[in-house]
Amino acid sequence: MKYSKYSTVIIGSGIAGLYAALKIEQQVKLPDGLLLITKSRLGESNSRYAQGGMVAVMKDNKSDSVPSHISDTIKAGAGLSEFNTVKFISENSDAVVKDLLKFGVEFDRDENNNLCYTKEAAHSVRRILHSGGDATGKMIEQALCRKVSENENIEIYEQTDAVELLVSSAECKGVIVFNNETGDYETVYSSAIILATGGIGQLYKYTTNPVGATGDGIALAYNAGAVMQDMEFVQFHPTALAIDGDENRFLISEAVRGEGAKLCDSDGVEFMSKYDERKELAPRDIVTRANYNEMQENHTDCVYLNASCIDSKKLAKRFPTISKKCLEHGIDIAKDYIPVAPASHYFMGGIRTNLKGETSINGLYAIGEAASTGLHGGNRLASNSLLECVVCAYSVAEYLKSIELKTPKQIDEEIKSIIDKYSNEDIVMEELDIQSLKSELQNIMWDYVGILRDKKSLETANELIYRMKADFPRDVKCLNRDEYEYRNMLTVAQLIVHCALNRKESRGAHFRTDYPKTNEECIHSVIVKEEMELVK
Ligand code: FAD
Ligand code: SIN
């Protein structure tokens, strides 16, 4: 096995990982250099697909203010958002947007060159910046990728999966990585490992997330002993394009509703006023459950979004990606109803961190969707995720600047035994039908741990997942990326089910039909590996 050492290693090349790389390179002393690892190609991630935009509370936007953004975020968060986190992220948005502009990111502007703001559900004012109309994530990511690729001080490993963290005595000393193209393993030592590995959308049958969103970083951190938080809170987006056979679903941005589109049944009858006075712009969990309920009652696979009330020129300019994608399926969004249905979209839970990105393990940091900072609480407000990615990337860089990064010298027995597992060339592994196993797990999560849950459905899921885990013969080393991903998906699924069973109330995106009320007491779910091991 090859060995290397770096002052800092960032795992993941979404917006959180890319921006962290640039800020760390710019500010932190890195005697042993900086490594960015990604299991995809550099520009491939959830970030790339972000449409609606990024919240920005800009000082010169007179209609907005930090208190107003804090209030909207906390209301959507269903009691679980942390005030100090929300305030920190909101207050820093002006500075990070200005910094992104310096890195070449462009946001859409009006004819007077002023930034354009849009509105999405549960925001009280227009405060969302967008780029390329509805291609915000792609535009930000492309600009950051360009800067990272040009930067000679950032070493990049593509097609490389982090497969296990090297942790002993609650301190992270490195990571084992696996090159999916060559099949080679490498031990990378570092005293600062930053997980920016994104979310878990692929745990569900229907998702807006691309194939890589398998919760890897969350599973790695959990297995290494890190504290996990609010794992039962999975956000389902109400309006993914519902085309038969498509399980990875293209998103129809909430911004389309923000501009006036209405939800209706196949006869054009609007229904949102039955569910919430804010109708289409109610918080995401409410709109999702409304769509789901309409589909159940009418025995249909979708509801419809009617955007024909929006000026057709404006639609084409504001939503070029959505217009094009729908046209590929014969849907003209200026005239036709768009078939939509809920799909798993975002993970509010994850690795518990503070505002410096620190996890409960020394030397291990987490940022972006993999982290649970307490910003989103039980239900994320639209477009707050990209903001969290960049503010937290910025703040982890600030923190690393203030400490001395010493690459670990002493490798103890515990670390050595982890490395030995991956150095063993003699293990013979039979090839498994991982795609079928992944599909089975995705179906279980969708059917039993989805938009509505109850004790019976969760216990069924628990039993099935335990069995699948017991049947998966890979506790040492896997054959390929698919197997590593499946292993991680099983771990994260088990944690979601466990926390969902424990939360005997409905709050935000976690809706228990057997406990439909919200408790007065509002507490985070917190779990570590030793506790789970005691649970049957
Ligand atoms: P990601 O962008 O998911 O990047 C994760 C990276 O980690 C990838 O490069 C992946 O390859 C890598 N990785 C994962 N596991 C490993 C491993 N084991 N080893 C090595 N590398 C690994 N949010 C908003 O705020 N506004 C929006 O408009 C918006 N629209 C969205 C639209 C869609 C369709 C989707 C799916 C999400 C949207 N979101 C939006 C959410 C937002 O895009 C994500 O939460 C955010 O981009 C996450 O960024 P990230 O950097 O944390 O992770
Ligand atoms: C969307 O454009 O609807 C997605 C926005 C988000 O997930 O924040």
Side-chain angles (χ1 to χ4, degrees), residues 103 113 126 174 189 199 222 262 267 317 359 384-385 434 457:
F103 279 113
N113 206 32
R126 286 186 167 259
Y189 294 113
Y222 166 76
K262 301 289 177 209
D267 295 324
K317 181 160 183 248
T359 68
N384 259 351
S385 171
I434 291 292
S457 73

Side-chain angles (χ1 to χ4, degrees), residues 51-52 120 237 251-255 284 345 380 382-384:
Q51 293 181 354
E120 287 179 297
H237 198 289
L251 184 74
I252 306 294
S253 174
E254 204 158 79
R284 205 167 267 182
H345 181 65
R380 176 174 66 95
S383 291
N384 259 351

